[in-house]
């Protein structure tokens, strides 16, 4: 049982949450400018209204909680968990005002899907959505990939002492520099450099397939933002299938693979340590699981004769699989094709790929290649222990920015997080089944929300039960924050409202 | 200090080298996917 928090603790958390909300409110300047440029005057009104309301909420929270205290680990974790919920409610305002959603719950679902870089959508008539609304959707997913709190740390909170605790709470634990403020800035630098390169590459690909210059640029910007953040949003309801282009698919694949790499790895490679790219336990783990799952799914699809040509197999099987494994969720087929054509084995490979996910401290979700690698090393160590004499002493090492020794604490932490992912995956799958969906379909959709992927087998539509929407929102949130911040938030709220014992 | 930094390379050229290395890595991974699909495709057709 934790110590009952004081009102002062709650004020500190509210203060930092207020700063995060102000950071997100400032982002509304981007869709406002887009609305001005595109002459979307009704959008300008509801984005401006949302800006005013969000700033009011942000400043109110910051003022209510104004305090000189520095945050502890508990404050950092609870702020990370709590601020994601507040930000979800605030960022859903423009969605709700736009009239493109059937309910406020649907709008919040899409915000959580964007921020957690999941990519599932409940928006109505996406194909005719306003430019500014699309800008907001993709900006949310781009910022969510880097981390909402990383954004606030880089531009608003310069107090690096307490900032690190918020940063870790958001599921990132690599310090590229001793100061978390510089680390957050480095993460943004890497993302913005690739934003320029990726948008240019997709713009060229768009022009090559015959899109008009202006439209090609906007599609390139939005699709790039969703690719880098492994988000999976696209401006058209058919997602990547809309472009019917192998070139477009190849360019997106390159950038979502890059987005799923650890920011510490990007930083190491950019600083000249290129060997780390193929020595790192995460890239080795990712390449291994991707290879095994690609072989399994393509073999199954070939046996079923789903794709009679090799080109079709690569474009459909490998693309969906790498999109699932990096937790991007870009689809180049219709959702129901997965359920009706792919067969159980290929779907099982997709579910595993979605659950494993990309790298730790990246924009990707899932339980991460690092933890798969560490657990694999622990299995090897235990096997060696069994085969050697009881008196033998040995250590198991792995490569992760230099040689490291595997410790019991790392294995325990990795196993617990994987266990919790699997637990909420089964719970959401059971919830889907309880709502009447076939279990394999429910498991597929559950893996997609838990791993923050965004693939849909057809369950996620506006008409799905509200109960299932809430379960999916919870799984996206818990999966993105890797549980610790979520558990801390629940424990804090429970302890805060607990009665004092006589 | 990394070997490249020790050799006195400029910061900007280091980033460019890094970007090219990463882009190359992603392309190699896609090529691996192509090879694995070919392998699975051939095996599925050959096996009874």
């Amino acid at each position: 049982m934790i110590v009952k928090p004081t009102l002062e603790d709650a004020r500190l958390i509210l203060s930092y949450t207020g700063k995060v909300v102000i950071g997100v409110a400032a982002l509304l300047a981007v869709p406002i400018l887009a609305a001005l440029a595109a002459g979307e005057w009704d959008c300008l009104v509801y984005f401006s209204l949302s800006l005013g309301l969000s700033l009011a909420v942000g400043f109110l929270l910051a003022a209510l909680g104004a305090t000189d205290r520095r945050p502890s680990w508990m404050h950092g974790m609870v702020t990370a968990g709590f601020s994601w919920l507040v930000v979800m409610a605030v960022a859903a305002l423009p969605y709700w005002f736009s009239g493109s959603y059937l309910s406020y719950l649907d709008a919040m679902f899409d915000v959580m899907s964007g921020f957690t870089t999941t990519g599932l959508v409940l928006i109505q008539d996406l194909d005719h959505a306003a430019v500014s609304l699309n800008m907001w959707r993709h900006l949310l997913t781009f910022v969510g990939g880097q981390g909402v709190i990383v954004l606030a740390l880089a531009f608003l909170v310069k107090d690096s002492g307490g900032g690190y605790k918020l940063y870790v709470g958001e599921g990132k634990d690599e310090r590229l520099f001793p100061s978390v403020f510089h680390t957050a800035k480095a993460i943004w630098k890497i993302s913005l450099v690739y934003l320029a390169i990726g948008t240019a590459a997709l713009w060229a690909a768009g022009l090559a397939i015959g899109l008009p210059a202006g439209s090609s640029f906007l599609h390139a910007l939005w699709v790039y933002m969703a690719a880098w953040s492994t988000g999976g949003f696209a401006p058209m309801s058919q997602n990547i299938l809309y472009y019917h282009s192998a070139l477009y698919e190849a360019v997106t694949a390159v950038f979502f693979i890059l987005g799923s790499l650890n920011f510490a790895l990007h930083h190491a490679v950019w600083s000249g340590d290129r060997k780390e790219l193929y020595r790192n336990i995460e890239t080795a783990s990712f390449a291994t699981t991707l290879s095994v799952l690609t072989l399994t799914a393509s073999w199954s699809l070939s046996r079923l004769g789903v794709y009679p040509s090799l080109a079709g197999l690569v474009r459909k099987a490998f693309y969906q699989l790498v999109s699932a494994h990096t937790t991007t969720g870009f689809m180049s087929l219709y959702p129901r094709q997965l359920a009706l054509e792919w067969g159980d084995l290929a779907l099982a490979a997709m579910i595993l790929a979605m659950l494993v996910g990309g790298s730790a401290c990246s924009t990707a979700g899932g339980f991460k290649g690092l933890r798969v690698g560490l657990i694999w090393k622990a299995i090897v160590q235990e096997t060696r222990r069994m085969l050697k004499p009881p008196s033998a002493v040995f250590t198991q090492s792995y490569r992760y920015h230099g040689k490291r020794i595997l410790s019991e604490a790392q294995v325990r932490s990795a196993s617990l997080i994987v266990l919790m992912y699997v637990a909420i995956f089964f719970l959401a799958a059971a919830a889907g089944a309880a709502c009447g969906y076939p279990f394999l379909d429910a498991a597929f959709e559950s893996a997609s929300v838990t791993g923050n992927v965004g693939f849909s087998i057809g369950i996620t539509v506006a008409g799905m039960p509200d109960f299932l929407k809430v379960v999916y929102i919870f799984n996206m949130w818990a999966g993105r924050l890797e549980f610790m911040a979520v558990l801390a938030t629940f424990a804090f709220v429970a302890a805060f409202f607990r009665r004092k014992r006589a | 200090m990394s070997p490249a930094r020790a050799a006195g390379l400029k910061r900007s050229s280091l980033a460019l080298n890094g970007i090219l290395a990463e882009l190359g890595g992603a392309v190699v991974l896609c090529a691996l996917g192509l090879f694995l699909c070919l392998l699975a495709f051939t095996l599925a057709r050959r096996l009874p």
Side-chain angles (χ1 to χ4, degrees):
Chain A
M1 192 169 285
I2 64 169
V3 179
K4 186 173 165 68
T6 62
L7 199 61
E8 197 65 6
D9 292 319
R11 285 176 57 148
L12 188 70
I13 289 161
L14 287 181
S15 151
Y16 274 89
T17 303
K19 287 179 182 173
V20 175
V21 172
I22 294 167
V24 173
L27 290 177
L28 279 162
V30 177
I32 286 176
L33 288 175
L36 276 171
E40 294 167 345
W41 309 119
D42 49 343
C43 299
L44 184 66
V45 171
Y46 63 70
F47 274 114
S48 306
L49 190 60
S50 306
L51 176 66
L53 285 169
S54 314
L55 283 177
V57 171
F59 281 112
L60 185 71
L61 288 175
L64 275 178
T67 169
D68 294 333
R69 277 180 62 190
R70 288 168 76 85
S72 66
W73 279 107
M74 182 266 282
H75 298 122
M77 287 289 163
V78 179
T79 305
F82 181 62
S83 61
W84 272 67
L85 292 181
V86 177
V87 158
M88 170 182 75
V90 166
L93 287 171
Y95 280 0
W96 174 233
F97 293 147
S98 73
S100 300
Y101 291 84
L102 296 184
S103 69
Y104 195 66
L105 180 66
D106 286 12
M108 289 200 292
F109 182 99
D110 264 27
V111 171
M112 192 54 103
S113 172
F115 266 136
T116 57
T117 72
T118 303
L120 289 167
V121 289
L122 294 179
I123 189 172
Q124 304 292 303
D125 201 14
L126 175 60
D127 295 342
H128 302 102
V131 168
S132 50
L133 192 67
N134 260 321
M135 194 65 91
W136 184 232
R137 292 175 64 237
H138 289 86
L139 188 65
L140 285 185
T141 202
F142 187 63
V143 169
Q146 279 48 254
V148 176
I149 288 172
V150 171
L151 171 89
L153 283 174
F155 300 107
L156 288 174
V157 186
K158 293 200 176 178
D159 168 21
S160 65
Y164 183 58
K165 286 140 192 164
L166 274 79
Y167 172 74
V168 172
E170 202 169 39
K172 290 189 164 59
D173 51 5
E174 295 284 347
R175 270 208 246 204
L176 315 186
F177 292 102
S179 143
V180 72
F181 170 64
H182 287 113
T183 299
K185 280 215 157 179
I187 286 180
W188 274 96
K189 182 185 152 192
I190 293 165
S191 293
L192 292 176
V193 167
Y194 270 127
L195 174 72
I197 299 171
T199 306
L202 281 170
W203 192 7
L207 292 173
I209 60 172
L211 287 176
S215 153
S216 175
F217 175 76
L218 285 175
H219 279 242
L221 179 67
W222 294 333
V223 170
Y224 171 77
M225 282 175 162
W228 170 258
S229 62
T230 66
F233 277 165
M236 309 306 289
S237 56
Q238 285 185 338
N239 209 269
I240 297 301
L241 179 66
Y242 170 80
Y243 303 101
H244 291 286
S245 159
L247 177 66
Y248 220 84
E249 287 160 24
V251 177
T252 52
V254 166
F255 287 102
F256 63 62
I257 289 170
L258 291 182
S260 77
L261 296 181
N262 193 316
F263 279 110
L265 179 63
H266 286 298
H267 185 254
V269 175
W270 285 28
S271 307
D273 188 6
R274 272 178 284 170
K275 283 183 183 165
E276 188 66 27
L277 200 56
Y278 54 88
R279 277 185 176 173
N280 193 296
I281 185 173
E282 276 187 311
T283 42
S285 160
F286 178 73
T288 309
T289 47
L290 180 67
S291 301
V292 171
L293 294 171
T294 303
L295 260 178
T296 310
S298 355
W299 184 79
S300 167
L301 290 166
S302 301
R303 293 288 282 183
L304 291 172
V306 180
Y307 301 111
S309 73
L310 178 64
L313 189 66
V314 175
R315 276 185 65 184
K316 300 297 175 185
F318 180 67
Y319 187 81
Q320 315 313 310
L321 213 68
V322 76
S323 171
H325 206 319
T326 56
T327 75
T328 308
F330 275 155
M331 294 179 78
S332 62
L333 36 70
Y334 293 103
R336 290 310 288 164
Q337 281 182 283
L338 287 168
L340 302 173
E341 290 179 357
W342 268 45
D344 293 355
L345 185 59
L347 280 189
M350 287 285 284
I351 290 173
L352 264 177
M354 292 194 284
L355 286 175
V356 172
S359 295
C361 192
S362 73
T363 67
F367 48 70
K368 314 278 160 57
L370 177 62
R371 299 198 179 98
V372 175
L374 290 179
I375 292 172
W376 170 251
K377 289 277 180 185
I379 293 170
V380 171
Q381 189 182 26
E382 283 307 302
T383 313
R384 283 174 65 198
R385 204 192 300 277
M386 277 189 280
L387 297 177
K388 290 200 172 180
S391 57
V393 177
F394 57 85
T395 54
Q396 185 72 37
S397 65
Y398 63 96
R399 294 207 73 95
Y400 186 75
H401 303 282
K403 197 173 173 182
R404 296 188 186 196
I405 304 294
L406 187 70
S407 73
E408 291 279 333
Q410 286 167 337
V411 176
R412 190 178 62 231
S413 158
S415 312
L416 276 177
I417 291 181
V418 171
L419 188 69
M420 284 193 278
Y421 264 105
V422 173
I424 64 165
F425 156 68
F426 273 112
L427 285 175
C435 291
Y437 297 101
F439 186 73
L440 194 61
D441 289 15
F444 185 93
E445 210 83 351
S446 169
S448 180
V449 287
T450 310
N452 300 139
V453 184
F455 267 102
S456 176
I457 203 160
I459 292 179
T460 306
V461 290
M464 70 196 272
D466 283 352
F467 163 70
L468 207 51
K469 288 176 192 169
V470 175
V471 171
Y472 284 178
I473 287 177
F474 173 80
N475 272 35
M476 289 191 270
W477 176 55
R480 175 65 175 81
L481 296 180
E482 299 190 339
F483 305 98
M484 292 309 155
V486 171
L487 295 175
T489 307
F490 282 129
F492 180 87
V493 173
F496 191 77
F497 291 105
R498 194 175 64 215
R499 280 191 196 169
K500 269 189 185 168
R501 296 193 177 202
Chain B
M1 188 181 283
S2 68
R5 186 64 62 79
L9 290 175
K10 282 183 190 169
R11 204 182 177 85
S12 59
S13 69
L14 287 178
L16 185 63
N17 282 343
I19 290 167
L20 290 175
E22 289 190 334
L23 287 169
V27 171
V28 167
L29 197 76
C30 291
L32 174 71
L34 176 69
F35 168 73
L36 291 171
C37 284
L38 174 67
L39 187 67
F41 192 68
T42 316
L43 279 178
R45 288 194 158 194
R46 293 274 168 89
L47 291 176

